C-alpha cells in the first residue's frame, strides 16, 4: 500500500487494506474490525507534545479551538476542508481530593477527566466529529447508529451540523430520558426496536448494508480516531506527564480501544516515554469483558486470540437467552463490538478489568456528585473500579490515577433523584418536607442535617 493513511483489517491472518475514501464497518474480506493506520514516517508530526500548546493562542480558528482537532496531526486521515467541529472537547481534568479519599488514595493523586462538558454531554462527541468528517469525505448523506442513548444524542447534533439525515435505533425501555429527549429534540429519526442494545446493534448493521447508510457506531474506525484525543487532553492537563493509571467504564469498548491505540502511537512516535496502565470497568450485570479477560484468561497475543473461548461464551449467552442488566444503561452491553481491539489495548497498556455492582456504581456516583462535577451512572464505574483496585492493592495509594467521567450528570436524573429521595445509600441527601410556616421552616433549618455539612 503506497498511501500514507489507509484502513487495515485487525486480523493478522487477513491484513487486507483499504483506502480511507472507502467506507466499511467490517473487513469485506473476512468480516473483522478495521483500523486506521498511518505511515508516520511520511507524515508531518510534531517532535514534542508541547508543540500543540501553540494552538492555545489561535482559538478563533475553529479547528484550533476544538479539543479534538487541535491535535489533528495525530489523527491525519482527511484534510481540513472535511473537518467538522461544533466545539467538542472543551473538557477539564479536575484534581479531586474527595474522590481520592473515598477510594483510599493519597490526596492530589486522583483526577477526574470530565467528558460531560462536550456539546451533547458525553465523550461520544470526540468520536462523532471524526466519524462525520470521514462521512463528508465519502459523501455520505444518511447516517445511522444503534444507541443506549448518548450516541444518538451526539449523532443527531453532528448530522444537523453536516446537513445529513440521521436514523437512530434504540432498545425498548432501557434509555435514560435525558438522552432520549436530546435525540428527539435534535430531530433524529428515532426507531425504537423491541429488544435490547445488542439487538439494535445487529439490526443497524443489517440496515446499513442493505440501504448503504453510513454507520457511526464505534465499529467505525474513524470514530475511534477522534476518541484518542481524550488521552491527549489528559496528558495536556498533566503538563504532558504520563499518569500511572487510566480508568474507564467499558460498554462497547470503543474508548478503551482508542486509548490503547493512542498510547501505542505516541510511544512509537517518541512523544511519550512510557505507557500508563489501563483499567476497564464493567458493570457486574454486563460483564463479558471481565469474564473473558479475567476469568477465562483470553488475551490478544498479537492477534492470535483464542477465538474458541470467545465463540463458546457467546454461544452460551445465546443458548440461555442471556440479557445484560444494569442501571448504568450506557454500558448495558453483553456483546461489545470492539472486544478484540480492547484486548489489544489491554496488552499495550498492561491492563486489568474489573466488574462493579450497581450499588457500588450508585455510591461512587454520589461521591462524584458530592465532591466533583457530577456524572451519569455508567461514568461512576471508573471511580467504583478505582476503589476496588485500591482495596486489592493493585493500585498503590501514591499512584497517579485518572478516572474518565464519560457523561453528564443530567443525562439520567431519575436515578439520581431516586437514590437521594428513597435513601438508597450512605450519601443519600433527602429533601426535608416542612409545613408552609416560618417557625416550622426555621426549626427545619436548625435540625435537618444537610449532607453537605454532616458528611453523612
Ligand atoms: C457510550 C458510553 C460508555 C461506554 O463506552 P464504550 O466506548 O462503548 O465502552 C460509557 N459511559 C457513557 C456515559 C457512554 O455514553
Ligand atoms: Zn480481513
Amino acid at each position: 500500500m503506497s498511501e500514507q493513511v489507509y484502513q487495515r483489517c485487525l486480523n493478522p491472518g487477513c491484513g487486507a487494506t483499504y483506502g480511507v475514501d472507502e467506507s466499511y464497518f467490517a473487513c469485506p474480506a473476512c468480516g473483522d474490525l478495521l483500523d486506521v493506520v498511518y505511515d508516520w514516517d511520511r507524515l508531518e508530526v510534531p517532535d514534542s507534545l508541547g508543540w500543540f500548546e501553540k494552538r492555545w493562542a489561535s482559538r478563533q480558528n475553529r479547528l484550533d479551538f476544538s479539543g479534538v482537532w487541535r491535535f489533528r496531526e495525530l489523527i491525519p486521515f482527511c484534510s481540513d476542508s472535511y473537518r467538522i467541529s461544533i466545539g467538542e472537547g472543551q473538557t477539564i481534568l479536575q484534581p479531586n481530593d474527595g474522590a481520592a479519599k473515598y477510594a483510599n488514595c493519597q490526596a492530589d493523586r486522583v483526577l477526574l477527566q470530565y467528558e460531560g462538558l462536550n456539546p451533547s454531554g458525553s465523550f461520544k462527541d470526540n468520536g462523532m466529529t471524526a466519524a462525520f468528517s470521514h462521512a463528508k469525505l465519502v459523501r455520505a448523506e444518511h447516517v445511522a447508529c444503534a444507541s443506549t442513548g448518548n450516541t444518538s444524542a451526539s449523532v443527531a447534533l453532528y448530522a444537523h451540523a453536516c446537513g445529513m439525515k440521521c436514523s437512530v435505533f434504540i432498545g425498548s425501555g432501557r434509555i435514560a430520558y435525558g438522552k432520549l429527549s436530546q435525540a428527539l429534540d435534535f430531530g433524529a429519526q428515532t426507531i425504537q426496536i423491541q429488544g435490547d442494545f445488542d439487538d439494535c446493534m445487529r439490526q443497524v448493521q443489517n440496515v446499513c448494508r442493505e440501504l448503504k447508510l453510513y454507520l457511526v457506531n464505534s465499529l467505525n474506525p474513524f470514530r475511534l480516531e477522534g476518541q484518542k484525543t481524550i488521552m491527549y487532553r489528559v496528558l495536556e492537563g498533566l503538563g504532558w506527564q504520563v499518569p500511572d493509571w487510566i480508568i474507564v467504564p467499558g460498554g462497547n469498548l470503543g474508548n478503551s480501544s482508542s486509548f490503547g491505540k493512542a498510547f501505542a502511537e505516541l510511544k512509537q512516535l517518541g512523544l511519550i516515554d512510557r505507557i500508563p496502565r489501563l483499567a476497564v470497568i464493567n458493570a457486574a450485570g454486563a460483564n463479558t469483558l471481565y469474564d473473558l479477560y479475567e476469568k477465562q484468561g483470553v488475551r490478544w497475543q498479537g492477534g492470535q486470540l483464542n477465538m474458541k473461548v470467545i465463540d463458546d461464551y457467546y454461544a452460551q449467552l445465546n443458548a440461555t437467552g442471556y440479557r445484560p442488566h444494569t442501571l448504568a444503561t450506557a454500558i448495558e452491553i453483553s456483546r461489545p463490538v470492539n472486544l478484540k481491539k480492547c484486548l489489544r489495548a489491554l496488552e499495550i497498556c498492561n491492563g486489568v478489568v474489573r466488574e462493579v455492582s450497581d450499588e457500588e456504581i450508585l455510591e461512587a456516583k454520589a461521591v462524584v456528585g458530592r465532591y466533583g462535577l457530577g456524572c451519569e451512572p455508567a461514568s461512576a464505574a471508573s471511580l467504583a473500579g478505582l476503589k476496588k483496585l485500591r482495596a486489592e492493592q493493585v493500585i498503590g495509594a501514591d499512584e497517579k490515577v485518572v478516572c474518565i467521567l464519560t457523561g453528564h450528570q443530567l443525562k439520567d436524573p431519575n436515578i439520581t433523584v431516586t437514590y437521594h429521595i428513597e435513601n438508597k445509600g450512605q450519601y443519600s441527601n433527602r429533601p426535608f418536607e416542612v409545613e408552609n410556616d416560618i417557625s416550622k421552616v426555621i426549626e427545619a433549618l436548625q435540625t435537618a442535617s444537610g449532607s453537605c455539612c454532616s458528611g453523612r
Side-chain angles (χ1 to χ4, degrees):
M1 198 84 186
S2 62
E3 282 145 83
Q4 297 172 353
V5 190
Y6 52 96
Q7 303 183 70
R8 186 175 65 204
C9 177
L10 188 71
N11 173 6
C14 171
T17 59
Y18 307 94
V20 285
D21 54 349
E22 297 184 74
S23 161
Y24 304 111
F25 46 89
C27 172
C30 78
D32 215 325
L33 296 167
L34 294 172
D35 258 328
V36 179
V37 181
Y38 305 98
D39 183 356
W40 295 112
D41 292 340
R42 296 165 60 206
L43 289 158
E44 262 182 63
V45 184
D47 55 13
S48 81
L49 286 170
W51 181 90
F52 289 101
E53 292 171 18
K54 72 172 193 179
R55 296 261 157 83
W56 299 348
S58 49
R59 290 163 66 85
Q60 72 286 357
N61 172 327
R62 105 201 127 82
L63 294 181
D64 290 354
F65 178 73
S66 166
V68 171
W69 297 113
R70 71 170 179 264
F71 298 103
R72 54 196 176 272
E73 284 75 9
L74 298 174
I75 44 173
F77 63 81
C78 67
S79 63
D80 280 1
S81 59
Y82 297 110
R83 289 175 176 142
I84 173 84
S85 172
I86 57 170
E88 59 286 328
Q90 307 306 315
T91 58
I92 51 179
L93 182 66
Q94 183 196 50
N96 196 301
D97 291 352
K101 186 161 179 238
Y102 173 71
N104 202 16
C105 298
Q106 280 177 21
D108 77 20
R109 302 270 87 188
V110 176
L111 300 103
L112 306 177
Q113 172 67 17
Y114 186 47
E115 290 294 319
L117 288 175
N118 275 291
S120 81
S122 84
F123 78 84
K124 298 291 197 301
D125 295 346
N126 294 284
M128 240 30 104
T129 188
F132 274 84
S133 299
H134 182 255
K136 283 172 68 185
L137 178 75
V138 299
R139 300 193 163 76
E141 288 169 0
H142 188 168
V143 307
C145 70
S147 179
T148 62
N150 282 331
T151 300
S152 66
S154 183
V155 166
L157 264 192
Y158 280 90
H160 176 71
C162 295
M164 294 179 196
K165 186 173 178 197
C166 81
S167 305
V168 307
F169 291 54
I170 58 175
S172 38
R174 311 289 300 164
I175 183 171
Y177 259 33
K179 306 175 187 183
L180 181 59
S181 66
Q182 288 180 291
L184 299 177
D185 217 26
F186 296 153
Q189 182 187 54
T190 307
I191 313 285
Q192 193 149 23
I193 292 181
Q194 293 168 3
D196 64 8
F197 174 81
D198 295 316
D199 297 319
C200 292
M201 195 64 236
R202 263 192 300 266
Q203 280 306 340
V204 76
Q205 291 180 64
N206 295 337
V207 170
C208 283
R209 255 186 222 107
E210 189 84 16
L211 301 180
K212 304 252 176 304
L213 307 188
Y214 186 90
L215 182 75
V216 283
N217 279 103
S218 52
L219 279 173
N220 181 320
F222 296 93
R223 212 184 102 177
L224 299 192
E225 290 304 295
Q227 289 170 214
K228 293 192 304 190
T229 65
I230 301 170
M231 291 301 102
Y232 307 154
R233 294 198 302 275
V234 163
L235 295 177
E236 183 181 48
L238 293 171
W240 313 112
Q241 299 295 305
V242 178
D244 296 304
W245 286 88
I246 301 288
I247 308 188
V248 64
N252 237 346
L253 307 178
N255 253 349
S256 44
S257 298
S258 70
F259 297 174
K261 187 171 190 280
F263 287 120
E265 289 173 348
L266 291 178
K267 184 87 195 318
Q268 187 197 340
L269 288 166
L271 293 171
I272 54 174
D273 53 13
R274 70 183 175 88
I275 290 175
R277 296 190 68 185
L278 178 68
V280 183
I281 313 300
N282 273 164
N287 61 355
T288 297
L289 179 69
Y290 174 72
D291 276 349
L292 289 173
Y293 187 77
E294 296 290 347
K295 294 226 175 118
Q296 315 237 26
V298 175
R299 291 294 181 275
W300 167 247
Q301 298 180 304
Q304 312 294 324
L305 314 109
N306 188 339
M307 281 310 296
K308 176 153 187 347
V309 177
I310 297 173
D311 292 343
D312 286 353
Y313 186 86
Y314 285 137
Q316 181 71 15
L317 292 190
N318 290 339
T320 57
Y322 177 82
R323 296 280 171 196
H325 199 85
T326 167
L327 52 75
T329 50
I331 53 174
E332 189 180 56
I333 296 174
S334 64
R335 289 163 180 80
V337 297
N338 287 298
L339 175 68
K340 289 188 191 176
K341 284 187 178 177
C342 177
L343 290 168
R344 179 178 64 178
L346 288 164
E347 180 172 292
I348 292 165
C349 302
N350 186 18
V352 300
V353 181
R354 289 295 180 272
E355 58 172 2
V356 292
S357 68
D358 281 1
E359 290 69 35
E360 291 169 305
I361 286 174
L362 279 183
E363 191 177 271
K365 182 186 142 349
V367 169
V368 174
R370 182 81 56 87
Y371 300 113
L373 296 152
C375 66
E376 67 167 279
S379 313
S382 56
L383 179 59
L386 170 58
K387 188 177 166 72
K388 183 157 283 187
L389 289 163
R390 272 293 298 126
E392 293 174 12
Q393 306 275 352
V394 173
I395 296 182
D398 60 347
E399 292 195 271
K400 183 161 274 185
V401 182
V402 175
C403 293
I404 311 299
L405 299 183
T406 46
H408 199 280
Q409 181 186 41
L410 297 179
K411 290 282 190 174
D412 198 347
N414 289 28
I415 285 189
T416 307
V417 172
T418 304
Y419 176 87
H420 290 296
I421 289 192
E422 294 182 11
N423 237 336
K424 297 268 188 199
Q426 58 170 317
Y427 294 92
S428 290
N429 179 26
R430 286 180 64 178
F432 211 77
E433 244 182 87
V434 65
E435 271 173 57
N436 186 14
D437 172 287
I438 177 77
S439 61
K440 291 284 180 354
V441 172
I442 288 172
E443 195 186 312
L445 282 172
Q446 286 166 343
T447 53
S449 51
S451 308
C452 62
C453 328
S454 72
R456 282 185 50 242

